[in-house]
Amino acid sequence: MIRVLDEDRSVAFYDKAFGLKVADRLDFPDFTLVYMSNPESPFELELTINKGRTEPYDLGDGYGHIAVVVEDLEAEHKRFEAEGLAPRKLVEFAPAGEVVAKFFFVADPDGYQIEVIQRGGRFK
């Protein structure tokens, strides 16, 4: 679950970036819960929109984030650039000389960092 300020903006981002569609929407007097998913995975993202909130959330100084695995990292990076999603640079993580992972990060409209990882090895 992540808290977002603008439901429409966040739903559009997660659809454009990851093909997630609204699977369910529960509206309550003080907040709304939006569940997003796609048929490729049992993964589901919950967006919480607190009604009346106008200030951005403090994301803190921790480095917690979600990660999404893709088949073709380079193609996805190019697609993100073409869509104007401002992905950060492609990275090969090889701390002991052997590539453990290839990835890039992208920020959602509320500043949450999402890691996009090449499928392979432990990243299924």
Side-chain angles (χ1 to χ4, degrees):
M1 181 280 289
I2 58 174
R3 298 181 189 281
V4 302
L5 281 180
D6 184 316
E7 178 180 344
D8 292 338
R9 185 177 68 166
S10 293
V11 165
F13 171 84
Y14 284 100
D15 181 14
K16 184 186 288 186
F18 304 109
L20 297 176
K21 306 288 186 204
V22 174
D24 202 359
R25 186 177 188 281
L26 305 177
D27 195 31
F28 300 97
D30 296 332
F31 63 95
T32 299
L33 301 177
V34 175
Y35 297 93
M36 301 189 73
S37 63
N38 70 29
E40 296 175 28
S41 162
F43 170 82
E44 189 171 69
L45 176 63
E46 176 185 305
L47 305 179
T48 297
I49 304 96
N50 289 309
K51 295 177 180 176
R53 174 120 185 165
T54 58
E55 295 297 316
Y57 288 94
D58 179 2
L59 302 183
D61 60 0
Y63 199 61
H65 63 276
I66 63 172
V68 177
V69 176
V70 299
E71 290 296 330
D72 186 338
L73 187 70
E74 287 81 11
E76 284 298 292
H77 192 269
K78 287 178 185 171
R79 185 180 69 79
F80 275 55
E81 288 179 324
E83 293 282 356
L85 298 174
R88 295 190 351 224
K89 69 178 183 168
L90 289 164
V91 174
E92 286 192 357
F93 181 60
E98 182 178 337
V99 175
V100 175
K102 294 180 184 179
F103 61 87
F104 66 86
F105 277 87
V106 64
D108 84 348
D110 290 277
Y112 293 105
Q113 298 297 314
I114 301 147
E115 185 177 13
V116 182
I117 306 173
Q118 174 69 48
R119 184 178 308 279
R122 76 162 315 282
F123 305 108
K124 299 174 179 20

